[in-house]
Amino acid sequence: VVIDVLRATTTMAVMFHRGLESLLAVEDIEAAHRAREASSDALLFGERHGLKPEGFDYGNSPAEAAALDLHGRHAIHATTNGTRALCAVAGGQGVVVAAALVNASAVAEFSRTFESVTLVCAGNGGANQFSLEDYATAATIAQDIHAHCPDAELGDGALLSMQIAEPAGLVARGTHADVLREFGFDDDLEFALRKDEAGCVPVVRSCGPGWAVLERA
Amino acid sequence: VVIDVLRATTTMAVMFHRGLESLLAVEDIEAAHRAREASSDALLFGERHGLKPEGFDYGNSPAEAAALDLHGRHAIHATTNGTRALCAVAGGQGVVVAAALVNASAVAEFSRTFESVTLVCAGNGGANQFSLEDYATAATIAQDIHAHCPDAELGDGALLSMQIAEPAGLVARGTHADVLREFGFDDDLEFALRKDEAGCVPVVRSCGPGWAVLERA
């Protein structure tokens, strides 16, 4: 379960909730442009330093995506940490999904059908730094799974999460939330906090170095 | 502030509390044996897979170290994750200290004199895994610093720690605490929980690849 709640995986969940057929996640703007050349009817979403890159249709904005009708459409989504985290865990034996608060309950319900669940926080700063918002989202999902499967064995990160009252509220209290406020992305931040607003589970269908294709589970 | 509370940094704090003059932390048994050849009066502490290696004087055991008179003595201490974490952050511009629950208040008091403090959790499994006990110790120190410096800016890991009631109690509740119990190290686990039992601050005086020399601050 890969979490990059501000904003990549929130935007992904919202896109599928708005009817998206498939999503190609890529690590950088150049890869996104190359993918669009090969698939000209795909919509281009993404960011560079928080902003919509030149030639892109949309930013990496859940609030913006929520206003779109994406039924039957295909998207290319350029996002650094989110894609890196998806690629880092995809390609192994497990099933990889993208999670945020907007699809937390759906992801928890989906995850409960598996024997083992690993929650992966994408993190900040090239993924080296602990991010409060990703951990808070993981804690929300871990608490949900634990409530339904009280006998499940917990790893140390999940054990810690059981100590936290209302983790979802912490998504807006980390350093990256402040960065988004500085950029003027208050709408996205507010949207990212709407638990279960977009109850879709995006799942990785195929992947390679620097890219992953997701569809609805 | 480097934390490997079960058991490396707890043992270190206890050794200095028992009068130790200096400690050479090394990553493996072989380096420890070589160091002893060069300094035959130094005492050899350490572990391999939790147990005291052949030819060593003592294990990596705070309970054992607490019973020793180490005044004027020098120690060589072989410990994998703890030494790696010390070496990873030492050699830069800052001052590096070893912290555990047994010296938490002393470390917090020492740290408060600096403009910026970074708490580094050594972690488990070759340091790749989050460890509840190291984070719980970091949370204890962060809460102490925050109580005395309420205006200090907090990073995401410290922000999370403010949500946790009585983090010190979590040291005994992680997966590595269970491993120690399986090995029969209940005494060490019980000792590691004794907050401020050994109020010494071991500080790195010099370091190189795979080794660090510590003395009392």
Side-chain angles (χ1 to χ4, degrees):
Chain A
V1 177
V2 172
I3 301 162
D4 187 7
V5 66
L6 295 179
R7 297 170 287 168
T9 51
T10 300
T11 305
M12 287 177 188
V14 169
M15 287 196 269
F16 282 104
H17 186 65
R18 298 300 302 156
L20 190 74
E21 195 77 20
S22 78
L23 183 147
L24 170 66
V26 293
E27 265 186 35
D28 57 53
I29 310 301
E30 292 65 35
H33 281 302
R34 284 196 303 273
R36 162 109 99 176
E37 279 171 32
S39 170
S40 60
D41 61 337
L43 295 168
L44 219 48
F45 292 77
E47 63 165 308
R48 175 174 274 169
H49 307 311
L51 303 171
K52 184 176 90 167
E54 212 185 305
F56 272 49
D57 302 305
Y58 304 102
N60 177 27
S61 165
E64 185 183 48
L68 303 174
D69 179 359
L70 297 171
H71 284 88
R73 302 301 304 261
H74 301 271
I76 300 157
H77 190 197
T79 152
T80 313
N81 282 2
T83 300
R84 273 189 200 151
L86 284 167
C87 293
V89 295
Q93 296 213 322
V95 173
V96 176
V97 302
L101 274 187
V102 295
N103 68 348
S105 297
V107 166
E109 192 183 345
F110 180 84
S111 301
R112 290 200 296 272
T113 62
F114 292 85
E115 197 175 311
S116 166
V117 180
T118 305
L119 299 161
V120 178
C121 298
N124 292 327
N128 288 315
Q129 283 172 26
F130 173 84
S131 92
L132 183 61
E133 65 274 13
D134 292 337
Y135 182 77
T137 305
T140 303
I141 295 167
Q143 289 184 1
D144 185 327
I145 294 173
H146 182 67
H148 288 84
C149 314
D151 295 332
E153 197 181 332
L154 302 177
D156 276 15
L159 281 165
L160 179 66
S161 75
M162 299 303 145
Q163 305 295 318
I164 302 163
E166 300 180 31
L170 298 177
V171 167
R173 291 175 59 187
T175 49
H176 195 59
D178 288 336
V179 170
L180 290 181
R181 286 187 194 98
E182 275 169 42
F183 273 102
F185 291 129
D186 300 79
D187 287 357
D188 284 343
L189 193 52
E190 188 270 328
F191 199 97
L193 294 171
R194 294 190 197 172
K195 189 156 179 279
D196 301 327
E197 174 89 10
C200 274
V201 180
V203 60
V204 174
R205 293 295 183 204
S206 57
C207 68
W211 62 270
V213 171
L214 294 98
E215 291 175 5
R216 210 169 316 182
Chain B
V1 178
V2 173
I3 300 161
D4 187 7
V5 66
L6 294 179
R7 297 170 290 170
T9 52
T10 299
T11 306
M12 287 177 189
V14 170
M15 286 195 270
F16 282 104
H17 186 65
R18 299 300 301 156
L20 191 74
E21 195 78 20
S22 77
L23 183 147
L24 170 65
V26 294
E27 264 185 37
D28 56 54
I29 310 304
E30 291 67 31
H33 281 302
R34 285 195 303 272
R36 162 109 99 174
E37 280 171 31
S39 169
S40 59
D41 61 338
L43 296 167
L44 220 46
F45 292 77
E47 63 166 308
R48 174 173 274 169
H49 309 308
L51 303 172
K52 184 176 89 168
E54 211 185 305
F56 273 49
D57 302 305
Y58 304 103
N60 178 27
S61 163
E64 184 183 49
L68 303 175
D69 179 359
L70 297 172
H71 285 87
R73 301 302 303 260
H74 301 271
I76 299 158
H77 190 198
T79 153
T80 313
N81 282 2
T83 300
R84 273 189 200 150
L86 284 167
C87 292
V89 295
Q93 295 212 322
V95 172
V96 176
V97 302
L101 274 188
V102 294
N103 67 349
S105 297
V107 166
E109 191 182 346
F110 180 83
S111 301
R112 290 200 296 274
T113 62
F114 292 85
E115 198 176 310
S116 167
V117 180
T118 305
L119 300 161
V120 178
C121 298
N124 292 327
N128 288 315
Q129 282 172 26
F130 173 85
S131 91
L132 183 62
E133 65 274 13
D134 292 338
Y135 182 78
T137 305
T140 302
I141 295 168
Q143 289 184 0
D144 186 326
I145 295 173
H146 182 66
H148 288 83
C149 315
D151 296 333
E153 197 181 333
L154 303 178
D156 276 15
L159 281 165
L160 179 66
S161 75
M162 299 304 144
Q163 306 296 318
I164 302 162
E166 300 180 32
L170 299 177
V171 166
R173 292 175 56 188
T175 49
H176 194 60
D178 287 337
V179 171
L180 290 180
R181 286 188 195 97
E182 276 169 42
F183 272 101
F185 292 129
D186 300 79
D187 286 356
D188 284 342
L189 192 53
E190 188 269 329
F191 199 98
L193 294 171
R194 294 190 198 173
K195 188 157 179 278
D196 301 327
E197 174 90 9
C200 273
V201 180
V203 58
V204 174
R205 293 294 183 204
S206 58
C207 69
W211 62 270
V213 170
L214 295 97
E215 292 174 7
R216 211 168 317 181

